[in-house]
Amino acid sequence: MKKILFLIPIFIFGFSSYAQFRTEKDLLGEKQIPDKAYYGVQTARALENFQISGVETNFYPDYVRAYAMVKLAAARANFEVGRMKKDRLDAIEKACKAVMDGKYHDQFLTDLYQGGAGTSANMNANEVLSNIGLELTGHKKGEYKYLEPHDDLNMGQSTNDVYPTAIHVAILLHNDKVVKEAKALAAAFHKKGDEYSKVLKMGRTEGQDAVPMTVGQEFHGFGHQLEAAIDAMVNSEAYLYEENMGATAIGTGITAAPGYAEKCAVQLAKITGKPMKLNPDLIAATSSMQGFVLYSSALKNFAVTLSKISSDLIFLASGPRTGIFEINLPALQPGSSIMPGKVNPVMPELMNQICYKIVGNDATVTIASRDGLLQLNAYEPVVAVAIFESQALLFKTMPLFRTNCIDGITVNEAILQRYMERSVGTVTALNPILGYEKTTELAKEALETNKGILELIREKKLLTEEQIKDFMDPIKMTSPQ
């Protein structure tokens, strides 16, 4: 009987045990690296040590591109100051451009949660770009004498300037997309405002009848609130434009060549298309997290604004028989497993949950930014996680909220009219004519007798019909007269 040999692959880092390996070493010793892998020994150790969230660097493609942009800017700056050889710059250029084009992203594997203030993420980028550059210039992966992860890809750099700068760039790239969707959402509210610009309703303060307004004014108000919050997000970018490349370990610039930092900032601005600039105090920039705190706060402000609007929509749509039921939200799915006919406001509820998460993420950014010690904040990884997640949640949810909810809102005009006729809020318009004391008496009597304001005015002959038509016209009450 012939013996049958079964090859059972054991998967390590995505590669089977019968794959080819190369040997790499670091200060802790040698390690076998799958030959197909573009990462190296330090990435391999991070993959062993930080299997935490399952969310890898490549979950955010713009974050991967940000590393390539930063490394390309650094290489060009080092060449300009005469430190990097042309053949090495050419190899790095090819590698960085390939990654910026979306290639090799599957090799950026470090978990977003990691110790070491981002060292693993920086070395993952150094090793992958080095091996891509080697391969694209006719060498084998691991032949680091031709392009070395530390000496070439990390020339004049430290994790402490590369890592925060890459996060800055990634946030800026993400923010472009978030702002675009936020503007589309604000525009949807304005469009709804135009659609119902002449439909009257009663405004409310503290849940109580206030004074007349139009549905259009209400929805334009929602749109303008969002636009103000968008402005804050855009304005907060200014604090992310300042970067600390050239600071190296703590901001003193040790190992960086004179002039490198300034040239790196110029190159980074060209590559990213953003007005990146060197922070005037690199020691302050390396230890401070102000840019992250301010941008996260702007995200939180937008989330709070959007959550308030979402809650307003839930209230306006409450009913259909025992709520106020002024508007209809699109019916997307049955609302109960036990109550027939129930339809819930699922999209505003979803939007609220996303907003709550963003508020929580901002608290994480605040605490992590506060607790970094002395010349470096070791908690930058969780800051990046929190901000990236907030941006991604908004980017994904806002278009759903817009198309599945806002665009399909309709108004129950008969109900709005009935509320207008029954409300005592219209009496406010008579303050300049009858005085506050008299109008208060009218409002009180209307509530006690269940009579309308107009009915009482006519009974008491307080105004002529011409005056009633002039002063009590609800349309006139929606603007200064």
Side-chain angles (χ1 to χ4, degrees):
M1 181 180 293
K2 293 182 179 180
K3 293 183 179 179
I4 300 176
L5 177 64
F6 291 94
L7 295 177
I8 304 176
I10 301 173
F11 287 92
I12 304 175
F13 309 138
F15 298 92
S16 66
S17 63
Y18 51 75
Q20 296 296 312
F21 288 84
R22 66 179 185 270
T23 301
E24 294 194 14
K25 64 180 180 179
D26 59 11
L27 67 89
L28 299 182
E30 293 185 346
K31 198 163 188 64
Q32 295 295 103
I33 307 298
D35 206 34
K36 291 183 178 180
Y38 287 84
Y39 60 77
V41 58
Q42 288 195 234
T43 302
R45 295 196 190 282
L47 295 177
E48 290 178 342
N49 295 331
F50 306 127
Q51 292 292 332
I52 308 300
S53 68
V55 181
E56 300 166 347
T57 301
N58 61 41
F59 185 81
Y60 298 106
D62 284 334
Y63 184 33
V64 176
R65 293 187 182 95
Y67 276 109
M69 290 176 177
V70 170
K71 294 297 177 178
L72 178 55
R76 288 177 176 175
N78 277 312
F79 177 74
E80 288 182 2
V81 297
R83 190 173 177 190
M84 179 169 283
K85 295 179 180 179
K86 183 66 165 59
D87 63 328
R88 308 229 167 184
L89 171 63
D90 290 344
I92 293 172
E93 288 255 7
K94 290 178 181 179
C96 290
K97 287 179 178 178
V99 172
M100 288 161 63
D101 288 339
K103 301 174 183 177
Y104 304 100
H105 282 211
D106 62 335
Q107 298 297 304
F108 290 78
L109 295 168
T110 55
D111 197 292
L112 291 183
Y113 287 91
Q114 55 190 262
T119 298
S120 296
N122 181 37
M123 284 310 302
N124 188 187
N126 287 334
E127 291 172 345
V128 170
L129 290 168
S130 179
N131 281 308
I132 294 171
L134 286 170
E135 205 169 65
L136 292 179
T137 52
H139 302 288
K140 293 180 180 179
K141 292 193 265 325
E143 290 188 320
Y144 294 137
K145 63 181 179 179
Y146 300 107
L147 193 65
E148 216 281 328
H150 289 92
D151 294 337
D152 296 315
L153 269 298
N154 208 59
M155 180 184 287
Q157 300 158 59
S158 163
T159 294
N160 302 348
D161 54 9
V162 170
Y163 188 68
T165 301
I167 297 171
H168 277 218
V169 172
I171 290 173
L172 290 168
L173 296 176
H174 290 162
N175 197 48
D176 288 345
K177 298 174 181 178
V178 172
V179 166
K180 182 179 178 180
E181 289 298 338
K183 287 181 176 179
L185 181 58
F189 278 108
H190 285 307
K191 183 178 179 181
K192 197 60 59 174
D194 291 340
E195 183 179 349
Y196 294 110
S197 62
K198 296 183 179 179
V199 177
L200 287 164
K201 63 165 288 177
M202 285 301 299
R204 293 180 180 83
T205 56
E206 300 176 76
Q208 306 297 304
D209 295 4
V211 297
M213 66 186 303
T214 67
V215 174
Q217 287 175 319
E218 188 165 49
F219 276 84
H220 280 304
F222 293 153
H224 286 127
Q225 288 178 57
L226 289 178
E227 286 170 342
I230 292 168
D231 286 344
M233 282 197 294
V234 172
N235 292 336
S236 69
E237 283 192 355
Y239 300 94
L240 296 170
Y241 296 148
E242 289 192 347
E243 46 83 15
N244 70 328
M245 289 296 290
T248 67
I250 65 170
T252 60
I254 188 171
T255 77
Y260 159 80
E262 292 78 11
K263 292 182 182 299
C264 191
V266 172
Q267 288 293 338
L268 195 58
K270 290 179 181 178
I271 294 165
T272 63
K274 297 288 185 180
M276 308 300 292
K277 59 183 180 180
L278 188 66
N279 191 296
D281 188 326
L282 294 183
I283 289 178
T286 305
S287 63
S288 172
M289 306 282 277
Q290 287 184 27
F292 297 131
V293 172
L294 288 164
Y295 177 77
S296 179
S297 179
L299 274 183
K300 179 189 70 174
N301 176 63
F302 183 83
V304 169
T305 301
L306 188 50
S307 181
K308 192 268 185 191
I309 292 169
S310 298
S311 295
D312 284 349
L313 294 178
I314 292 170
F315 180 65
L316 291 171
S318 61
R321 299 293 174 84
T322 57
I324 67 171
F325 201 47
E326 291 191 355
I327 65 172
N328 303 296
L329 303 180
L332 299 182
Q333 61 189 66
S336 174
S337 61
I338 186 174
M339 292 173 281
K342 191 171 187 287
V343 178
N344 294 329
V346 293
M347 292 310 299
E349 290 172 346
L350 171 64
M351 197 71 255
N352 262 339
Q353 292 176 74
I354 298 304
C355 293
Y356 302 157
K357 180 62 175 165
I358 292 167
V359 172
N361 282 343
D362 179 66
T364 297
V365 172
T366 300
I367 296 168
S369 298
R370 179 196 68 191
D371 286 351
L373 293 175
L374 300 177
Q375 279 69 59
L376 177 68
N377 192 308
Y379 306 117
E380 281 180 321
V382 76
V383 168
V385 169
I387 294 177
F388 290 167
E389 182 183 37
S390 293
Q391 290 179 311
L393 288 171
L394 278 175
F395 176 71
K396 184 69 175 178
T397 310
M398 283 192 295
L400 296 176
F401 186 49
R402 170 171 51 84
T403 57
N404 292 347
C405 183
I406 308 308
D407 290 347
I409 289 176
T410 57
V411 170
N412 297 318
E413 295 190 36
I415 289 177
L416 294 176
Q417 179 62 32
R418 186 164 73 246
Y419 291 157
M420 285 289 299
E421 293 170 354
R422 297 290 301 162
S423 175
V424 299
T426 55
V427 76
T428 304
L430 298 178
N431 278 350
I433 300 118
L434 300 179
Y436 181 80
E437 184 176 348
K438 187 64 177 178
T439 53
T440 300
E441 291 175 2
L442 278 173
K444 181 179 179 182
E445 186 174 348
L447 291 171
E448 291 175 348
T449 62
N450 203 29
K451 292 181 179 180
I453 292 295
L454 288 178
E455 184 180 356
L456 288 175
I457 289 173
R458 288 188 174 102
E459 281 183 8
K460 298 175 182 295
K461 295 182 171 50
L462 296 174
L463 297 174
T464 65
E465 287 300 321
E466 187 63 30
Q467 288 174 317
I468 289 174
K469 183 178 179 181
D470 188 22
F471 300 138
M472 300 300 290
D473 182 356
I475 284 291
K476 292 184 176 180
M477 296 184 198
T478 63
S479 61
Q481 298 294 323

